[in-house]
Amino acid sequence: MNLFVLSELYPGNQHVGWSVLSTLEEVLSSAFDTVFIYPLPNQNILFFKRYRHRIFKSWYKIQDLPTLGKGPNILLVVGLGPDFLLSIFTVYPLWKKFALKIAYLLDGFDYHHLDREVIPHLDYLFVICAEMAEDINKNLTINTAFLPLATDVLNLGSNSTHRCIDIISYGRTDPTVHRCLQFHFHQQQSHRIYFHSTFSHPKVFDIKEHTKLLFKILARSQISLCFEASQVPRFQGYSPILMRWFESWSCGCTVVGKRPFSKGAADLLDWENSTIEIPDNPEDWIPFFEDLLLDKYTLITNTKRNYRECLLRHDWRYRLKNMLQNLELPITENLMNEITKLREKLNFETM
């Protein structure tokens, strides 16, 4: 099986929001015979969105068409939102040569924005929220399945007990909680370290470099703040488990915040202390965090348990195996070997 991946993480795309693609690409590269194709946005048609197919056919362009191999050739489109599905038109001359054309969207979106000209050309769509999959299946003519996010636990996970950062907060967070914590823990007399973003610019110098550093920082953090996202407009009221949960769990952080509540979420975080709910009363926040930080037994137990659960079921390799099974495709030898390595770590590193 030859896998051709249209990826939105094109060279030069250093927006931190697309870092979710970084770990997935690493696993796709090692577990399959993968050819990555990076469509670039076609700047000539940004002002012709409404008439894109009549004028240019696609928002995206590639320099050269890939050379297909023998045996089944599979096309996988991986991006954040539905607009990137238009990149499928860049390989239009090869469509009939692909045994399957599938897509996986890694963020929240309004399913009404799925382009009606793209849908007939896709055999299957995977999304990160169960209710979203149900809504698409009810209203559109494309087979859609729920496939949760994950991360590269095998190469980036950690159950280290040496953790010098007390609390970490990155990306989207609760601004009221943030103000409370930074006011209290940034006092000169406080011996706690509350590590958080201090800038708003969305770009980094290098996504892969940023990802590796983030995992190192998480592996030195005791508590990671995570808040469910149903109030964020692009999630349309859905509340999926987002990337920060899997990143934090895989690095052994104790997750504190508000847990996601979308269908299927409870089954994915069904172990003790997977997310510790922050008190509703702001006056209780500082005593709550201080008490938790003093409870070393609970923090260390959470580190080992969260890391173990990710080795057991929240690595990208398990998601890709589920995808192949859903599509009735064979599991590659490389993928099975890497899942075996996860199980070996499970047996030796979590005893």
Side-chain angles (χ1 to χ4, degrees):
M1 182 177 74
N2 307 304
L3 184 64
F4 294 82
V5 177
L6 287 168
S7 171
E8 199 169 7
L9 192 60
Y10 57 85
N13 181 2
Q14 305 301 350
H15 193 296
V16 72
W18 274 258
S19 61
V20 61
L21 274 164
S22 178
T23 54
L24 178 55
E25 280 198 4
E26 292 293 330
V27 176
L28 285 169
S29 179
S30 63
F32 298 90
D33 182 10
T34 307
V35 175
F36 289 98
I37 308 163
Y38 296 103
L40 295 175
N42 190 339
Q43 299 298 322
N44 294 325
I45 62 170
L46 292 180
F47 298 104
F48 297 95
K49 178 178 179 181
R50 184 176 178 183
Y51 305 103
R52 56 186 172 271
H53 297 305
R54 300 179 193 176
I55 302 174
F56 296 99
K57 194 68 177 177
S58 177
W59 283 5
Y60 297 90
K61 59 184 179 181
I62 58 175
Q63 187 170 1
D64 298 298
L65 288 171
T67 301
L68 303 189
K70 295 181 180 180
N73 295 293
I74 309 299
L75 181 66
L76 171 62
V77 186
V78 183
L80 266 67
D83 285 348
F84 187 67
L85 297 183
L86 290 162
S87 68
I88 196 173
F89 289 108
T90 62
V91 293
Y92 177 80
L94 301 176
W95 274 1
K96 293 182 180 180
K97 297 182 180 181
F98 287 112
L100 277 176
K101 298 184 287 292
I102 57 181
Y104 187 19
L105 297 180
L106 308 177
D107 203 7
F109 61 92
D110 186 339
Y111 75 87
H112 293 94
H113 293 163
L114 285 166
D115 194 284
R116 300 309 192 271
E117 293 192 44
V118 171
I119 289 174
H121 303 294
L122 286 173
D123 298 299
Y124 225 99
L125 172 65
F126 295 90
V127 294
I128 66 168
C129 181
E131 288 98 333
M132 183 186 296
E134 290 178 352
D135 287 342
I136 294 172
N137 282 322
K138 289 177 184 176
N139 294 281
L140 300 174
T141 56
I142 180 171
N143 291 322
T144 306
F146 169 43
L147 190 67
L149 294 171
T151 192
D152 185 0
V153 190
L154 181 63
N155 295 313
L156 298 175
S158 173
N159 63 351
S160 170
T161 56
H162 174 63
R163 295 176 181 267
C164 54
I165 298 172
D166 296 290
I167 305 171
I168 184 172
S169 172
Y170 63 101
R172 179 188 55 82
T173 189
D174 185 303
T176 307
V177 173
H178 166 69
R179 286 193 295 269
C180 174
L181 295 185
Q182 68 88 21
F183 177 80
H184 180 80
F185 291 124
H186 287 180
Q187 298 297 327
Q188 188 64 32
Q189 62 270 26
S190 175
H191 65 283
R192 302 292 187 193
I193 296 179
Y194 171 46
F195 185 93
H196 59 86
S197 304
T198 57
F199 54 89
S200 60
H201 198 285
K203 292 186 178 181
V204 295
F205 292 118
D206 184 279
I207 287 288
K208 295 185 184 298
E209 176 187 88
H210 163 80
T211 300
K212 291 180 179 179
L213 178 58
L214 173 61
F215 275 79
K216 292 290 287 186
I217 294 172
L218 285 169
R220 294 295 180 265
S221 302
Q222 299 190 78
I223 295 172
S224 179
L225 300 183
C226 299
F227 295 89
E228 70 86 19
S230 61
Q231 299 304 310
V232 178
R234 71 179 186 273
F235 289 102
Q236 301 292 308
Y238 302 126
S239 182
I241 304 179
L242 300 181
M243 197 65 187
R244 70 190 66 229
W245 266 268
F246 300 106
E247 292 168 340
S248 299
W249 287 331
S250 70
C251 290
C253 299
T254 292
V255 173
V256 171
K258 295 294 183 182
R259 66 179 56 217
F261 55 78
S262 275
K263 185 176 180 180
D267 293 334
L268 293 167
L269 44 72
D270 59 358
W271 66 92
E272 183 179 359
N273 286 350
S274 59
T275 299
I276 299 178
E277 296 283 313
I278 192 171
D280 292 329
N281 188 350
E283 294 182 0
D284 296 331
W285 290 344
I286 296 303
F288 163 80
F289 280 105
E290 291 285 9
D291 288 345
L292 182 55
L293 288 166
L294 289 172
D295 189 352
K296 298 303 180 185
Y297 175 80
T298 294
L299 292 174
I300 292 174
T301 301
N302 292 343
T303 288
K304 295 179 179 179
R305 185 190 294 120
N306 290 351
Y307 176 64
R308 178 181 176 83
E309 290 292 335
C310 284
L311 284 175
L312 183 66
R313 52 175 166 159
H314 290 319
D315 189 282
W316 276 125
R317 293 158 182 87
Y318 297 123
R319 304 293 190 258
L320 294 172
K321 180 182 178 182
N322 290 342
M323 176 186 285
L324 294 176
Q325 289 173 331
N326 207 320
L327 297 168
E328 298 183 349
L329 291 172
I331 311 301
T332 67
E333 183 178 354
N334 284 351
L335 181 58
M336 287 307 303
N337 288 340
E338 294 194 1
I339 289 175
T340 298
K341 291 179 181 178
L342 283 167
R343 299 294 177 158
E344 291 172 351
K345 276 181 173 282
L346 186 67
N347 293 331
F348 292 105
E349 293 190 14
T350 64
M351 294 177 63

